[in-house]
């Protein structure tokens, strides 16, 4: 995954051929044309670094087999299904869901904020989340109104909000394991943090507080657990804070995220399939299409290419 960004569609249909046919019909009705992968006119490594070079020439879709009957869809340009076709009054994802007759949703994770666009089998949509002010105009995500805005919070507000996992899906009637996915990942993250912190406290106190009696050590640890910030501000707190921060920075669980990022990772882990293409990492979709096509097909993926309207 690239740092703070990820763009993924989920379709509650495991018939990849039906999805392929419906997507093809939908885009051809707009004037797009299904094509084969164009001959590459730029260096492949340049495409890896700049995957948008060919977006005016080709739109790339990849359908991946997910878990629990869901199909995972990756696209470049990433959010064209969230946008409306010319003269349409609803996003393409709404039309796609209605024509297939199933629930769909889009998860967009950004450096600041995240968007969840839900679409049911009738084509109704519900959008929750937030994007940065640079892209957010009049409370909209492209042409669609955001129904529930999750504003970017301060660190202290985030701690308060996410002490309990918020509701994410408001339109779709989703299975219980999807409802619980974020809570379970949060509990896993909290447990991992608690275990790491106990190990840190044991190692730190053995090194610096070896003359302290066991009872006093336990009382000090209890104060630390209850309010680290106060302990950091006391005498010797700077050294303790530096040691704690350094150890925390290098620990794997810090990458599990918080807030919307936690939700996105939880859903990705649950639905991503085996192998999972929820995250494409350093190899963008169009780069993979040129360099890893056989592997993608061996993993059950369907690759579709369209020439957009010029």
């Amino acid at each position: 995954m690239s740092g703070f960004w990820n763009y993924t569609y989920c379709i509650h249909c495991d018939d990849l051929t039906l999805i392929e046919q419906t997507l093809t019909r939908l885009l051809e009705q707009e004037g797009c044309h299904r094509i084969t992968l164009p001959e590459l006119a730029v260096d492949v490594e340049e495409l890896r670094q700049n995957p948008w070079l060919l977006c005016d020439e080709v739109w790339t879709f990849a359908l991946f087999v997910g878990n629990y009957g869901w199909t995972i869809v990756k696209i470049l340009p990433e959010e064209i299904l969230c946008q409306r076709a010319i003269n349409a009054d609803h996003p393409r994802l709404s039309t796609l869901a209605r024509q297939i007759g199933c629930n769909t949703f889009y998860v967009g994770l950004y450096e600041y904020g995240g968007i969840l666009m839900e679409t049911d089998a009738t084509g109704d949509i519900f959008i929750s989340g937030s994007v940065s002010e640079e892209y957010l105009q009049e409370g909209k995500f492209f042409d669609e109104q955001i129904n529930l805005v999750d504003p970017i919070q301060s660190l202290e507000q985030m701690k308060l909000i996410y002490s309990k996992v918020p509701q994410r899906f408001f339109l779709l009637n989703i299975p219980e394991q999807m409802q619980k996915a974020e809570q379970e990942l949060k509990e896993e993250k909290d447990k991992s943090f608690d275990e790491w912190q106990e190990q840190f406290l044991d190692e730190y106190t053995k090194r610096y507080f070896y003359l302290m009696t066991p009872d006093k050590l336990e009382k000090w640890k209890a104060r630390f657990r209850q309010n680290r910030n106060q302990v950091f501000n006391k005498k010797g707190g700077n050294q303790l804070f530096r040691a704690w921060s350094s150890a925390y920075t290098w620990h794997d669980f810090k990458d599990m995220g918080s807030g919307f990022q936690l939700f996105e990772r939880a859903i990705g882990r649950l639905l991503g399939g085996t192998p999972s293409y929820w995250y494409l990492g350093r190899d963008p979709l169009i780069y993979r299409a040129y360099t890893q096509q056989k592997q993608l097909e061996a993993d059950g993926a369907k690759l579709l290419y369209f020439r957009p309207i010029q």
Side-chain angles (χ1 to χ4, degrees):
M1 187 181 77
S2 175
F4 298 96
W5 295 271
N6 196 43
Y7 315 87
T8 308
Y9 298 85
C10 298
I11 302 175
H12 201 196
C13 171
D14 57 6
D15 187 339
L16 269 62
T17 299
L18 175 60
I19 297 172
E20 173 189 6
Q21 293 171 346
T22 308
L23 267 173
T24 300
R25 183 170 61 249
L26 186 155
L27 292 173
E28 286 183 344
Q29 286 172 351
E30 294 183 25
C32 300
H33 297 285
R34 182 85 176 265
I35 60 174
T36 58
L37 186 62
E39 183 176 344
L40 189 58
V42 299
D43 180 76
V44 70
E45 286 305 313
E46 185 178 359
L47 189 64
R48 187 181 193 183
Q49 298 300 321
N50 300 285
W52 304 278
L53 285 174
L54 300 183
C55 284
D56 290 337
E57 182 178 346
V58 58
W59 286 356
T60 307
F61 291 72
L63 315 180
F64 300 100
V65 178
N67 294 326
Y68 302 104
W70 290 85
T71 294
I72 308 304
V73 183
K74 308 294 282 191
I75 305 174
L76 191 71
E78 292 94 349
E79 295 181 316
I80 54 175
L81 290 188
C82 299
Q83 302 171 39
R84 299 181 183 184
I86 297 173
N87 297 324
D89 59 3
H90 48 267
R92 294 180 176 96
L93 189 62
S94 173
T95 303
L96 182 69
R98 187 175 66 252
Q99 291 186 3
I100 297 176
C102 67
N103 292 334
T104 70
F105 64 90
Y106 165 76
V107 180
L109 177 67
Y110 315 110
E111 185 170 8
Y112 300 106
I115 284 287
L116 175 63
M117 175 185 280
E118 304 172 58
T119 312
D120 67 15
T122 69
D124 286 343
I125 65 171
F126 190 98
I127 303 175
S128 55
S130 64
V131 293
S132 67
E133 292 181 1
E134 179 181 357
Y135 301 102
L136 183 62
Q137 298 180 355
E138 300 179 354
K140 290 186 176 182
F141 178 57
F142 295 107
D143 292 314
E144 316 312 319
Q145 193 70 37
I146 298 179
N147 303 92
L148 184 64
V149 177
D150 179 17
I152 297 170
Q153 307 286 336
S154 70
L155 180 59
E156 291 305 314
Q157 288 173 315
M158 290 288 285
K159 288 179 180 177
L160 179 63
I161 290 171
Y162 292 107
S163 59
K164 294 183 179 180
V165 177
Q167 180 181 354
R168 295 295 183 188
F169 290 95
F170 295 90
L171 175 65
L172 303 185
N173 181 20
I174 59 171
E176 186 177 4
Q177 68 266 27
M178 288 177 62
Q179 294 280 14
K180 292 183 175 181
E182 186 179 1
Q183 177 66 45
E184 290 176 354
L185 184 56
K186 180 182 182 299
E187 291 172 357
E188 181 181 313
K189 176 185 175 184
D190 291 344
K191 180 181 178 182
S192 175
F193 174 82
D194 290 342
E195 290 173 350
W196 167 81
Q197 183 165 268
E198 288 306 304
Q199 182 179 353
F200 168 83
L201 291 176
D202 286 340
E203 293 174 356
Y204 190 86
T205 53
K206 285 177 183 177
R207 182 175 182 181
Y208 295 104
F209 298 160
Y210 53 87
L211 296 179
M212 194 178 288
T213 64
D215 286 347
K216 288 185 177 180
L217 275 177
E218 289 306 315
K219 289 179 181 178
W220 183 88
K221 289 180 181 179
R223 287 197 301 273
F224 185 92
R225 295 184 197 104
Q226 290 171 2
N227 196 324
R228 288 190 303 273
N229 292 335
Q230 283 188 7
V231 178
F232 288 150
N233 291 330
K234 291 184 179 295
K235 184 179 179 180
N238 287 339
Q239 176 179 306
L240 173 60
F241 174 74
R242 287 195 298 270
W244 188 93
S245 324
S246 177
Y248 179 83
T249 298
W250 290 103
H251 204 281
D252 290 342
F253 67 75
K254 77 179 182 66
D255 293 327
M256 293 175 69
S258 62
F260 195 91
Q261 186 180 15
L262 187 70
F263 161 73
E264 185 265 349
R265 292 190 179 212
I267 291 297
R269 187 172 71 165
L270 181 69
L271 301 184
T274 305
S276 175
Y277 282 95
W278 187 273
Y279 300 119
L280 298 181
R282 295 179 179 272
D283 294 346
L285 179 59
I286 188 67
Y287 175 84
R288 287 175 181 261
Y290 279 103
T291 63
Q292 304 170 26
Q293 186 169 353
K294 290 184 178 179
Q295 183 61 58
L296 291 169
E297 291 173 350
D299 291 336
K302 272 187 176 290
L303 297 171
L304 318 176
Y305 310 102
F306 295 88
R307 188 174 302 285
I309 303 170
Q310 300 298 318

